[in-house]
Amino acid sequence: MSALAVTLEEDPPPETADNAVKAIEAAPAAIAEPAPAASVALSWQQKAMLVVGLSGSFLVNVSGPLVAANIIDVQGGVGLTPDEGSWLVTSYLAASLMGVILSGPIVKAFGIRRAYVAAAAVFALTAILCLRSTDLVWLTAWRGLQGFTAGFFGPMAFASTFIVMSKQRLPLGLTVLSFVLVLPPTLSPVLASYLQEAAGWGSLFVAQVASGAVMAVAGLFVLPRQPVSWPGLKAEWVALLLLATALGATTIVLSQGTRQFWLESATIVLAFNCAVSAAAGFIFVTLFSPIGILVPALFLRRGFSIPILLNLAARAGLVVTGYLIPQFLATVQGYRPGEVATLLGSAVLFQLLSMPLAWHLHRFMRGRNIMTLGLLMCGLSAIAAARSTSLTSGPELQWVAICFVVGVALFLAADLRIGALPLKLPELPTASFAFNISTIGGTTLGTGFASNLATEAEKFHSNVLTEHLSPYSPWVSDQLTGLAMHLSSRVADGDASLAGAASLVAAAARKQAWVLAFNDSFLVVGVILVIAALVAFAVPDNSAPQKIEG
């Protein structure tokens, strides 16, 4: 993303997209400059470049997590245990963060077109290799390589937005970008369930092949040609590799911690030590390196640091629709993946409709207030879900999911505009790093936190319920006797009917323990998001509501 430098001193000439890209090396102007009196219409090449850049990020973010959404069917089809199958998800996430970090000098040296086409081709090729592999080591390796190439598309979406949508068009570009980033987490599980039901788990990888092929062809014919610039590879590679290692190892800790019992596992201890050591090394190298990698002063600016932290919190909060609601319905009510997909499908529709709403709200509300509104919708809907019972089913949670995803969409549209519009050219690479890392890292953090919280809460509630379900309790004894008498009409053996009654009581206790555990998770996530909504008031937002040219 070091290639993210855009001239906004005047709008790019409309002849070709090459003119806009050539401005990368020579642009000294800041983003926040007065707009010209009359804007020049975008050429079809510029529009095509923008569409390809955004669609690449969208398709990767939709098709990449398909495997994670239906990992149970994939691991069953390949013959892996749940612990083994979880590494297919972990390797993809860890490598995606590494791809975000290392994409900058690669794109700058070889150009957006070569990097885009190569990343799309490798994304499709690794999907084919995953489809034909059955060995865990190779599957994990191919998924990791696929995740690494997927990490390229987020920064390139930012690049195409800032290159093409300059000056007064940038607010509209950032609004569209926000929906390109926020829609896939809702859409991907829905698409995965429908594909699985229609054509089996192999169709998940076929969809990835198709996405990669479409992106590669589109990039080959649309994106502008640029000469190879070997000096572009000049970067502080030691620092970049240390940062990539730190983030990748942190992802392993967060993704595998619950399964591996955290620091009781040698794997988690090793990953934790690697993360801490690499992070310390990165800080040391960055402080003393003559080559500027990041702009540390940017993180001291409230108008940037707070939106990044809020994006991290909102992405972590997506665990409500991405994990907690599906797991609640599957565990408590026995919903199949297709039924969960139908439930979330309506949420996708409402999230699409929220895009014009987000754009319209900016015409008469400050961005800070829209951020607060979106986070409050998310937090309050999660708190509402915390009142679920063992009788709660899809229709009750459907409106929770709809309110939540609409709130996320409103928040991100405002968050991007507040955090990105005031940026100056030297700050763009740092901003791209921070936003993409908080996006991927927030999702990983939220899933790891919620899964561990639900697991530990279920153990606690199970212990409490078990203590109150002693067979020597008169109430419990009466219940067991009544159930045993009911079962005796079907089972002649008195001991068998009593054992069956005890089994039914134990199953009901486990079910209630999971209901309470999920409620605890909903409540904690909701409270965090409400606190984040209050923090949004600390974001400096001096822009008055106004009609912005689209």
Side-chain angles (χ1 to χ4, degrees):
M1 260 328 273
S2 298
L4 239 185
V6 188
T7 179
L8 294 167
E9 187 173 12
E10 58 184 18
D11 283 341
E15 288 80 8
T16 64
D18 297 86
N19 294 321
V21 177
K22 289 176 181 177
I24 289 174
E25 301 297 335
I31 286 182
E33 291 185 1
S39 59
V40 179
L42 295 177
S43 67
W44 74 267
Q45 294 97 334
Q46 290 173 309
K47 294 178 181 178
M49 178 181 178
L50 181 64
V51 170
V52 170
L54 294 178
S55 62
S57 177
F58 179 80
L59 289 174
V60 164
N61 289 334
V62 169
S63 62
L66 289 176
V67 174
N70 269 28
I71 189 62
I72 295 177
D73 297 296
V74 174
Q75 68 194 22
V78 180
L80 303 176
T81 65
D83 287 338
E84 292 173 336
S86 66
W87 283 102
L88 302 183
V89 179
T90 300
S91 62
Y92 183 92
L93 291 174
S96 294
L97 284 171
M98 295 180 177
V100 170
I101 298 301
L102 301 178
S103 63
I106 295 176
V107 173
K108 188 174 182 180
F110 297 100
I112 293 180
R113 180 173 181 266
R114 292 186 183 88
Y116 188 99
V117 173
V122 174
F123 185 86
L125 178 61
T126 50
I128 296 175
L129 294 173
C130 287
L131 190 58
R132 298 177 62 87
S133 300
T134 56
D135 181 73
L136 175 63
V137 175
W138 284 110
L139 271 171
T140 304
W142 299 137
R143 281 285 290 170
L145 181 57
Q146 186 181 54
F148 180 78
T149 57
F152 278 55
F153 291 95
M156 286 192 285
F158 269 80
S160 61
T161 301
F162 279 95
I163 287 173
V164 177
M165 303 293 284
S166 60
K167 286 210 180 264
Q168 74 273 23
R169 295 192 184 97
L170 191 55
L172 176 59
L174 292 174
T175 301
V176 176
L177 176 62
S178 69
F179 277 82
V180 167
L181 297 175
V182 80
L183 188 60
T186 309
L187 178 60
S188 187
V190 176
L191 181 61
S193 297
Y194 285 135
L195 288 174
Q196 164 65 27
E197 292 285 338
W201 64 270
S203 61
L204 306 179
F205 291 108
V206 173
Q208 294 177 347
V209 175
S211 298
V214 169
M215 292 187 297
V217 172
L220 190 64
F221 286 99
V222 172
L223 295 179
R225 296 177 180 271
Q226 294 175 267
V228 177
S229 176
W230 295 111
L233 287 176
K234 183 181 179 182
E236 185 53 80
W237 284 98
V238 174
L240 291 176
L241 290 173
L242 285 172
L243 179 59
T245 301
L247 294 174
T250 301
T251 302
I252 293 175
V253 173
L254 294 175
S255 298
Q256 294 292 325
T258 302
R259 289 183 175 275
Q260 304 291 333
F261 301 101
W262 298 101
L263 296 181
E264 296 181 17
S265 167
T267 302
I268 299 301
V269 171
L270 177 61
F272 179 79
N273 290 333
C274 286
V276 173
S277 301
F282 168 74
I283 294 174
F284 178 82
V285 173
T286 302
L287 291 177
F288 295 98
S289 173
I291 303 177
I293 304 170
L294 300 177
V295 182
L298 186 59
F299 294 96
L300 301 178
R301 188 189 304 167
R302 285 189 301 140
F304 176 79
S305 59
I306 296 179
I308 291 296
L309 291 175
L310 292 179
N311 180 62
L312 180 71
R315 283 288 171 167
L318 281 173
V319 72
V320 170
T321 54
Y323 177 81
L324 291 177
I325 289 179
Q327 287 296 317
F328 179 93
L329 294 175
T331 304
V332 177
Q333 301 295 350
Y335 273 47
R336 292 174 54 83
E339 294 172 316
V340 176
T342 302
L343 169 72
L344 294 178
S346 58
V348 174
L349 177 60
F350 276 88
Q351 197 169 46
L352 280 172
L353 296 176
S354 65
M355 179 177 176
L357 174 62
W359 177 249
H360 182 68
L361 286 176
H362 277 92
R363 298 174 183 267
F364 60 90
M365 289 180 64
R366 291 186 181 274
R368 178 173 59 195
N369 296 335
I370 299 175
M371 290 171 62
T372 302
L373 174 63
L375 289 172
L376 278 178
M377 289 181 64
C378 295
L380 295 179
S381 60
I383 292 174
R387 302 181 62 184
S388 301
T389 68
S390 58
L391 299 179
T392 301
S393 59
E396 291 88 349
L397 293 177
Q398 185 176 37
W399 286 106
V400 171
I402 290 173
C403 291
F404 193 93
V405 298
V406 171
V408 170
L410 296 179
F411 159 77
L412 188 58
D415 187 68
L416 260 179
R417 288 173 59 157
I418 289 179
L421 283 177
L423 293 175
K424 298 181 180 180
L425 292 176
E427 299 167 342
L428 290 179
T430 302
S432 177
F433 278 149
F435 186 81
N436 282 283
I437 290 171
S438 66
T439 297
I440 301 175
T443 303
T444 306
L445 175 64
T447 304
F449 173 76
S451 62
N452 185 70
L453 176 61
T455 301
E456 296 302 320
E458 190 275 336
K459 295 177 183 177
F460 170 77
H461 290 300
S462 291
N463 291 335
V464 174
L465 290 173
T466 301
E467 291 177 1
H468 291 80
L469 288 178
S470 170
Y472 302 104
S473 168
W475 182 84
V476 175
S477 178
D478 291 343
Q479 294 296 318
L480 289 175
T481 302
L483 286 172
M485 292 180 61
H486 177 73
L487 293 174
S488 62
S489 61
R490 302 179 182 180
V491 181
D493 190 346
D495 292 337
S497 62
L498 185 60
S503 178
L504 290 175
V505 171
R510 284 195 300 271
K511 182 177 181 179
Q512 186 60 34
W514 275 115
V515 170
L516 295 173
F518 283 121
N519 284 349
D520 291 344
S521 302
F522 281 125
L523 181 61
V524 171
V525 174
V527 169
I528 291 174
L529 291 174
V530 170
I531 294 174
L534 299 178
V535 173
F537 281 110
V539 178
D541 182 15
N542 299 322
S543 60
Q546 59 182 348
K547 183 176 180 179
I548 304 174
E549 180 181 347

